[in-house]
């Protein structure tokens, strides 16, 4: 731009020459500056080129209107336009290539991502270590609470209670069934929660009528009565046989 | 240019027409090159915008990950029982 302003008086004097466009791209600049500074410099040159071209166009228009040698001015203007377009393309190519390189060479994001992945892996390792340490403290307990088999009900009842303990919603229904069973059997059995966490139906205080070995239910009562009748029948037979032996003897 | 040589002379008219066609050809070439330059600028703008958008997205993801890591580390330092 300074060159064009300096050459204006010469053109007015008769030598029709238009200021040459500065084609010094940033590739030719000093290598000491960093790439970012070069990019900013090339952008600044491109911005300056715009005003330079406007001033050159005004100058060519004035010279064409005022001077007599219009063909010479026209030819010089044409050559100047060609040079200007080439210079603009050169600047644009420089800026675009530098921007492209800058965008491609951005590796800080990937490096930061790798560092963060490393940190997350370390955290996960710490968590796994703590979990394994916690698991090592837990030991298996072999001495489970054992009850005599006569105090333990059937497996079906146990299964029902297991399922009821797992399903809390059915707990109320199960309690109602237990109370109904107690009323029906006349037993004072009740549920006791063992140390394992499972519920077991245990007869803590069996009734005086039915002793330890008896099960609950109406059929069991009948069986007990039948057994007592059978014992009475046996004792009667024994007495009869003893009387017969005495008589024979 | 035609006025300078005189319109009455047919030779001058022919020269002026030829010069006019040459000027038109030059202008069309220049306009074609400017259009190509404009298309390149548009394409370059689009690619640059897409690359910058992807970069911005990457940075956003990294920022969120960093926040999560900060929270995890702070919770671990506040509750040392987690690592005991």
């Amino acid at each position: 731009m300074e060159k064009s302003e300096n050459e204006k008086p010469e053109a007015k004097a008769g030598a029709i020459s238009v200021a040459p466009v500065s084609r010094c791209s940033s590739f030719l600049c000093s290598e000491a500056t960093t790439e970012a500074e070069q990019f900013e410099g090339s952008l600044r040159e491109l911005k300056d080129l715009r005003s330079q071209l406007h001033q050159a166009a005004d100058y060519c228009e004035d010279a064409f209107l005022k001077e007599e040698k219009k063909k010479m001015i026209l030819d010089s203007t044409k050559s100047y336009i060609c040079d200007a377009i080439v210079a603009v393309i050169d600047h644009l190519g420089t800026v675009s290539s530098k921007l492209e390189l800058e965008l491609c060479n951005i590796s800080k994001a990937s490096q930061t991502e790798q560092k963060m992945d490393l940190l997350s892996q370390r955290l996960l390792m710490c968590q796994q270590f703590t979990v394994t340490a916690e698991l090592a403290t837990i030991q298996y307990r072999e001495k489970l609470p054992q009850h005599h088999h006569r105090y333990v009900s059937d497996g079906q009842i146990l299964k029902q209670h297991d399922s009821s303990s797992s399903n809390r919603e059915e707990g109320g229904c199960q309690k109602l069934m237990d109370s109904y069973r107690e009323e029906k059997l006349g037993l004072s059995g009740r549920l006791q929660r063992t140390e394992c966490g499972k519920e077991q139906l245990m007869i803590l205080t069996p009734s005086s009528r039915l002793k330890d070995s008896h099960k609950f239910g109406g059929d069991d009562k009948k069986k007990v009565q039948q057994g007592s009748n059978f014992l009475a029948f046996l004792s009667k037979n024994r007495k009869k046989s003893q009387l017969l032996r005495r008589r024979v003897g | 240019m035609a006025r300078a040589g005189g319109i009455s002379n047919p030779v001058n008219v022919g020269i002026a027409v030829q010069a006019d066609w040459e000027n038109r050809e030059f202008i069309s070439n220049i306009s074609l090159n400017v259009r190509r330059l404009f298309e390149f600028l548009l394409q370059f703008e689009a690619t640059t915008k897409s690359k910058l958008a992807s970069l911005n997205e990457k940075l956003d993801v990294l920022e969120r990950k960093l926040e999560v890591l900060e929270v995890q580390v702070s919770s671990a330092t506040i509750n040392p029982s987690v690592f005991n």
Side-chain angles (χ1 to χ4, degrees):
Chain A
M1 195 60 240
E2 293 173 357
K3 285 183 181 178
S4 65
E5 287 175 355
N6 292 331
E7 287 174 356
K8 275 181 185 177
E10 293 175 3
K12 284 179 182 176
I16 302 164
S17 63
V18 185
V21 180
S22 64
R23 295 174 63 178
C24 174
S25 63
S26 296
F27 281 123
L28 303 174
C29 293
S30 63
E31 296 177 356
T33 54
T34 59
E35 291 183 356
E37 289 176 352
Q38 286 181 2
F39 180 72
E40 288 180 0
S42 59
L43 267 180
R44 205 179 300 118
E45 284 177 3
L46 195 63
K47 286 177 183 175
D48 293 339
L49 199 64
R50 179 171 169 269
S51 61
Q52 190 177 343
L53 287 173
H54 275 289
Q55 288 182 0
D58 292 336
Y59 169 72
C60 288
E61 191 176 357
D62 291 337
F64 184 79
L65 291 174
K66 290 176 183 176
E67 295 292 330
E68 293 294 329
K69 299 175 182 177
K70 295 192 176 183
K71 190 175 182 182
M72 191 181 291
I73 290 173
L74 190 66
D75 292 336
S76 64
T77 304
K78 283 181 181 177
S79 65
Y80 184 79
I81 287 170
C82 290
D83 291 340
I85 284 179
V86 170
V88 168
I89 290 171
D90 187 20
H91 278 84
L92 278 175
T94 305
V95 172
S96 61
S97 65
K98 286 193 172 179
L99 188 60
E100 191 87 10
L101 280 173
E102 286 288 329
L103 285 175
C104 289
N105 291 329
I106 290 175
S107 60
K108 288 183 179 178
S110 59
Q111 287 177 0
T112 312
E113 196 172 0
Q114 287 178 355
K115 286 180 182 176
M116 290 169 68
D117 290 337
L118 182 68
L119 274 175
S120 60
Q121 279 186 352
R122 280 185 181 177
L123 273 172
L124 278 172
M125 286 284 287
C126 289
Q127 286 177 356
Q128 284 182 354
F129 180 72
T130 51
V131 167
T132 51
E134 287 286 330
L135 282 173
T137 57
I138 298 171
Q139 292 180 350
Y140 176 67
R141 190 176 177 183
E142 290 183 354
K143 287 186 177 179
L144 292 171
Q146 291 180 350
H147 305 283
H148 197 272
H149 65 277
R150 71 180 67 171
Y151 297 110
V152 180
S153 63
D154 294 336
Q156 293 180 352
I157 300 169
L158 279 171
K159 286 178 182 177
Q160 286 177 0
H161 279 283
D162 290 338
S163 62
S164 67
S165 63
S166 63
N167 193 359
R168 291 181 180 177
E169 293 178 359
E170 295 176 356
C173 298
Q174 195 65 34
K175 286 179 181 176
L176 286 172
M177 287 176 67
D178 292 332
S179 61
Y180 173 72
R181 194 179 291 129
E182 285 175 5
E183 289 175 3
K184 189 178 178 182
L185 298 176
L187 298 172
S188 60
R190 61 176 179 176
L191 289 172
Q192 184 187 11
R193 188 176 291 277
T194 61
E195 291 182 4
C196 297
K198 295 179 179 179
E199 287 180 355
Q200 291 182 349
L201 183 64
M202 297 179 62
I203 305 166
L204 296 177
T205 55
S207 65
S208 58
R209 293 177 186 174
L210 298 175
K211 294 184 179 178
D212 294 343
S213 63
H214 302 304
K215 294 184 179 179
F216 352 102
D219 296 334
D220 295 335
K221 284 183 179 178
K222 288 178 182 178
K223 287 179 181 176
V224 169
Q225 288 175 359
Q226 288 175 358
S228 61
N229 293 330
F230 183 67
L231 288 173
F233 176 71
L234 285 175
S235 61
K236 283 180 182 177
N237 285 335
R238 281 181 186 175
K239 287 177 182 177
K240 284 180 180 177
S241 61
Q242 286 176 0
L243 286 172
L244 286 172
R245 285 175 185 172
R246 285 176 186 173
R247 285 178 187 175
V248 171
Chain B
M1 294 183 71
R3 287 179 185 175
I7 301 173
S8 59
N9 193 357
V11 178
N12 290 335
V13 172
I15 292 169
V17 168
Q18 189 178 357
D20 185 60
W21 275 110
E22 285 176 357
N23 289 334
R24 285 175 187 272
E25 187 183 2
F26 175 75
I27 290 168
S28 66
N29 285 329
I30 293 294
S31 64
L32 182 65
N33 286 321
V34 170
R35 280 179 188 174
R36 285 179 181 172
L37 189 64
F38 187 68
E39 286 176 0
F40 164 75
L41 283 176
L42 286 177
Q43 193 176 355
F44 178 69
E45 184 195 8
T47 53
T48 307
K49 274 187 177 178
S50 67
K51 285 184 179 179
L52 286 173
S54 64
L55 188 65
N56 190 24
E57 191 176 354
K58 271 186 183 178
L59 289 174
D60 286 339
V61 172
L62 283 176
E63 198 174 352
R64 287 175 194 168
K65 281 186 179 178
L66 189 64
E67 286 177 357
V68 171
L69 277 174
E70 282 178 356
V71 169
Q72 285 181 349
V73 171
S74 63
S75 65
T77 50
I78 289 169
N79 299 321
S81 60
V82 175
F83 292 105
N84 287 332

